[in-house]
Amino acid sequence: VFNLAYDNFLGRMAICRIYKGTLKSNDQVFVITHEGKRYSSKLTKLFTFEGTVRKETGKAPAGDIVMLSGIPDIYIGDTISTDENVQALPSINIDEPTISLDFVVNDSPFAGRDGKFVTSRQIRERLEKELEVNVGLKVDFHGGDDLPAQAGITVFGRGELHIGILLENMRREGFELQVSQPKVITKNILGVENEPFEEVVIDVPDEYASTIISKLNERRGILMNIKQETGHQRLIFEAPTGGLLGYRGQFVVDTKGLGIFSSRFIGFRPFEGVIKTTHLGAMVSMAKGKCLAFALDNLQQRGLLYIEPGDEVYDGMVIGNTSKGEDL
């Protein structure tokens, strides 16, 4: 079993690939959990896929990816078989989280304008559901429902993209919340503080290669290999996760959207020290109200604005950055 899904009428369903034999919709099956426990269950429905369309079927042969209903307590990594004595298939090892963020109820003056699910209980229930299908995610609810709404929930994930997809899905579903800056997860191994490292593979046109090498060197990235192709270069780095935080957006700007960036976790190594990844300061609003073009005219010469004329702001709101690195 490699995934789980929900259906409004059928409830919890398992998506899996048939390894051997033929599976029928009314089969009696045996489930072997990743902990080695065994129990029996009975399938109620069996579905296959035609493209992205789900289709009910009576049986499916080996090699098919199918969706099963009728097993209430199935989890990712469990083995399902019609043979009671079958050996469990090996579970897939999931990389451990490398960054953490705090999810907090939005208490800004603009709270409630962008979403309909805004309470700590609604956010908690959504994350509990996500844990059942997202194998790389871990969540610390800090003691459960007894804590106040502003206590926050700490979410642990495998990089910015992992958490970013979750946040975007929640935003589209109507959730509204505040999110802290990401923090790198460190470990103490044999008395030495260690941090996660990633292998970074970058494909860029020749004219941008030197810029990428320079930027990643500033973030403690080590160039391991260069592969020359026609008009392009493949650059392979090893870099601390902390140095890569926030870099993907800059990478798109530096390569004008023509570069390809991918990375994978390769393990924990001795801590490289604090890495300064930005040289910009914050432009902070000192009043509440609507911004006028006249008020923003001088500010836009100091850096990059995040707002436009007519936007509402509040006292303390970050409205842009300053190129000189000092807060304004």
Side-chain angles (χ1 to χ4, degrees):
V1 175
F2 64 84
N3 204 351
L4 291 172
Y6 277 84
D7 186 280
N8 292 334
F9 302 101
L10 299 173
R12 198 176 191 190
M13 305 182 72
I15 303 175
C16 59
R17 182 187 296 275
I18 300 175
Y19 175 69
K20 185 178 180 181
T22 299
L23 190 65
K24 298 179 181 178
S25 59
N26 58 352
D27 274 345
Q28 181 79 20
V29 296
F30 300 91
V31 180
I32 307 139
T33 69
H34 57 280
E35 298 173 344
K37 298 179 181 179
R38 296 172 182 257
Y39 65 90
S40 62
S41 187
K42 188 175 179 64
L43 301 183
T44 56
K45 288 185 180 294
L46 179 65
F47 300 90
T48 57
F49 297 91
E50 291 184 357
T52 59
V53 180
R54 188 176 69 187
K55 178 182 178 182
E56 186 174 353
T57 184
K59 61 181 181 179
D64 269 13
I65 295 176
V66 296
M67 181 178 283
L68 315 175
S69 66
I71 309 176
D73 298 321
I74 188 71
Y75 287 92
I76 295 168
D78 294 353
T79 299
I80 305 170
S81 175
T82 55
D83 183 359
E84 183 177 5
N85 300 314
V86 74
Q87 293 295 318
L89 295 172
S91 295
I92 298 173
N93 292 324
I94 305 299
D95 289 339
E96 54 189 301
T98 56
I99 65 169
S100 67
L101 302 90
D102 292 328
F103 286 17
V104 184
V105 171
N106 186 12
D107 62 351
S108 80
F110 296 159
R113 296 189 181 187
D114 296 327
K116 56 183 179 180
F117 303 119
V118 298
T119 67
S120 59
R121 181 176 295 276
Q122 289 170 329
I123 296 170
R124 175 192 174 93
E125 290 174 351
R126 174 63 179 83
L127 291 174
E128 287 176 340
K129 183 177 177 181
E130 183 70 21
L131 283 173
E132 297 186 344
V133 299
N134 195 332
V135 295
L137 195 74
K138 293 183 180 180
V139 180
D140 184 357
F141 294 103
H142 303 300
D145 297 327
D146 298 332
L147 294 179
Q150 292 306 310
I153 298 170
T154 303
V155 179
F156 304 86
R158 293 181 292 166
E160 289 178 293
L161 183 61
H162 187 201
I163 301 294
I165 291 172
L166 170 62
L167 286 171
E168 178 61 17
N169 287 338
M170 292 179 68
R171 185 192 68 80
R172 295 183 182 188
E173 293 167 13
F175 287 86
E176 180 182 306
L177 65 153
Q178 296 182 134
V179 182
S180 71
Q181 288 186 341
K183 300 176 183 177
V184 175
I185 299 172
T186 60
K187 273 185 172 185
N188 190 294
I189 302 175
L190 300 175
V192 179
E193 187 178 13
N194 283 252
E195 64 179 330
F197 270 70
E198 300 181 30
E199 181 187 64
V200 180
V201 179
I202 293 176
D203 292 290
V204 290
D206 291 337
E207 60 265 34
Y208 304 126
S210 60
T211 301
I212 300 304
I213 293 172
S214 175
K215 291 290 179 68
L216 280 176
N217 283 340
E218 292 177 1
R219 294 170 176 261
R220 307 282 176 86
I222 300 174
L223 181 62
M224 306 300 293
N225 196 2
I226 298 178
K227 297 180 180 179
Q228 186 73 44
E229 301 175 3
T230 306
H232 282 71
Q233 293 185 29
R234 169 164 289 188
L235 311 175
I236 301 176
F237 292 85
E238 290 184 359
T241 299
L244 298 176
L245 293 178
Y247 176 65
R248 284 174 171 81
Q250 184 63 47
F251 174 78
V252 173
V253 174
D254 289 342
T255 62
K256 297 181 171 54
L258 299 176
I260 300 174
F261 181 106
S262 62
S263 65
R264 67 180 183 91
F265 172 72
I266 56 176
F268 281 83
R269 297 179 182 177
F271 186 57
E272 292 277 346
V274 178
I275 302 172
K276 188 175 182 180
T277 58
T278 179
H279 304 283
L280 304 174
M283 199 179 294
V284 184
S285 171
M286 57 184 291
K288 180 180 179 180
K290 284 190 176 182
C291 288
L292 303 179
F294 174 78
L296 298 180
D297 183 45
N298 288 330
L299 292 179
Q300 66 185 0
Q301 301 176 24
R302 304 287 191 93
L304 177 66
L305 291 174
Y306 303 153
I307 59 173
E308 297 178 351
D311 288 349
E312 289 190 56
V313 298
Y314 57 85
D315 186 11
M317 177 177 172
V318 177
I319 62 171
N321 63 48
T322 59
S323 56
K324 292 187 177 181
E326 297 179 354
D327 292 345
L328 176 65

